[in-house]
Amino acid sequence: MNNSEQHMDKASRFYERYADFSNQQIKDILKNHKDYQESAVTAAVKIAIERELIHTEQDLLGPEYQSQMSYKWSVFPEIHNAYLYKRVRASIFRVLFFASLIPTIYGVMKYAEGQFNMTYLGVGAGLTWFLLTFILFKTEKLVVLFLQVVMIILVFFILGYWLLSQHYFQTTDIAVLVIGTMVLLYLLFYLKKLIQTKPEEIYRQ
């Protein structure tokens, strides 16, 4: 199958998906057409022409279908594009799943040193984090996200206290702990924002 045939095949699938979209949803796709795949725009244009929302594809060059860029800075920017939403959501979950490896690997290393209590703590924390992340990925229940936030805060204070209680501790250890905690908290709170502001297209797919 050549590129042209692949494009038409994708466009056909998008056409079937967008067929039930409202006129406003189709207009939103056209207005933000630069954020969509070419095949998705092709399907939306075809539907828009059939519904007489536009006359030709050239109408997309008009001011009505040129998205107005917002330069308002936000810590947790909203994403209205379904495709981009899925990409960002998937990236956040990849990081969260990867985070479960850190305490697990730490626990395995401590097992080699004969420190079984630290092994149980590390592996247990890693498996618990992985399980909570998996449940959140499947259900998007905010209560699960809340449990992860609580878990991060508890680990932060426990490890922070342990590091500061050592006779000799590296400043870099504290820095890594603080930065790691802030990154995970940011990702969780951003994920919360994404869950609460999910694009309408996601619900209709």
Side-chain angles (χ1 to χ4, degrees):
M1 183 180 293
N2 56 40
N3 291 337
S4 178
E5 291 175 336
Q6 289 180 347
H7 172 73
M8 295 307 298
D9 181 61
K10 288 183 178 180
S12 177
R13 281 180 285 172
F14 276 114
Y15 180 88
E16 294 178 1
R17 182 187 304 176
Y18 294 161
D20 295 328
F21 278 27
S22 66
N23 288 348
Q24 185 57 50
Q25 287 177 303
I26 296 298
K27 285 185 176 182
D28 288 340
I29 294 174
L30 297 180
K31 183 177 180 180
N32 300 283
H33 60 273
K34 293 181 180 179
D35 297 328
Y36 285 80
Q37 300 179 53
E38 183 180 355
S39 51
V41 176
T42 299
V45 167
K46 183 177 180 181
I47 293 174
I49 293 175
E50 291 174 352
R51 297 182 185 180
E52 298 183 350
L53 301 177
I54 61 176
H55 299 292
T56 67
E57 188 173 356
Q58 295 301 314
D59 290 353
L60 298 184
L61 299 176
E64 181 182 358
Y65 295 105
Q66 297 298 314
S67 60
Q68 301 297 318
M69 298 298 294
S70 173
Y71 296 97
K72 182 179 179 181
W73 183 84
S74 175
V75 177
F76 304 111
E78 291 188 23
I79 300 177
H80 302 289
N81 180 292
Y83 175 73
L84 184 58
Y85 174 92
K86 290 181 178 180
R87 293 287 298 273
V88 173
R89 179 183 181 276
S91 296
I92 291 177
F93 271 110
R94 276 196 293 270
V95 175
L96 295 179
F97 277 118
F98 178 79
S100 66
L101 293 176
I102 298 175
T104 303
I105 293 174
Y106 175 81
V108 172
M109 292 173 61
K110 291 303 177 182
Y111 177 81
E113 298 175 3
Q115 300 184 33
F116 299 114
N117 288 337
M118 297 303 293
T119 298
Y120 299 144
L121 180 62
V123 174
L127 292 178
T128 300
W129 180 265
F130 181 89
L131 179 61
L132 289 174
T133 302
F134 180 78
I135 295 174
L136 181 62
F137 177 76
K138 289 295 185 180
T139 66
E140 293 191 340
K141 298 292 186 181
L142 294 182
V143 64
V144 180
L145 190 148
F146 173 76
L147 291 176
Q148 288 184 286
V149 170
V150 172
M151 183 176 177
I152 290 175
I153 294 174
L154 287 175
V155 170
F156 173 79
F157 281 108
I158 291 173
L159 288 181
Y161 176 79
W162 181 79
L163 287 173
L164 293 175
S165 65
Q166 302 300 305
H167 293 293
Y168 301 98
F169 66 88
Q170 297 289 333
T171 305
T172 53
D173 292 337
I174 299 295
V176 169
L177 176 61
V178 172
I179 293 173
T181 300
M182 291 178 63
V183 168
L184 289 177
L185 287 176
Y186 172 81
L187 291 177
L188 286 175
F189 283 119
Y190 190 20
L191 186 58
K192 174 178 177 292
K193 176 70 173 291
L194 292 178
I195 292 174
Q196 294 176 325
T197 59
K198 185 181 298 185
E200 290 186 14
E201 291 178 55
I202 301 293
Y203 293 106
R204 301 178 67 91
Q205 292 177 2

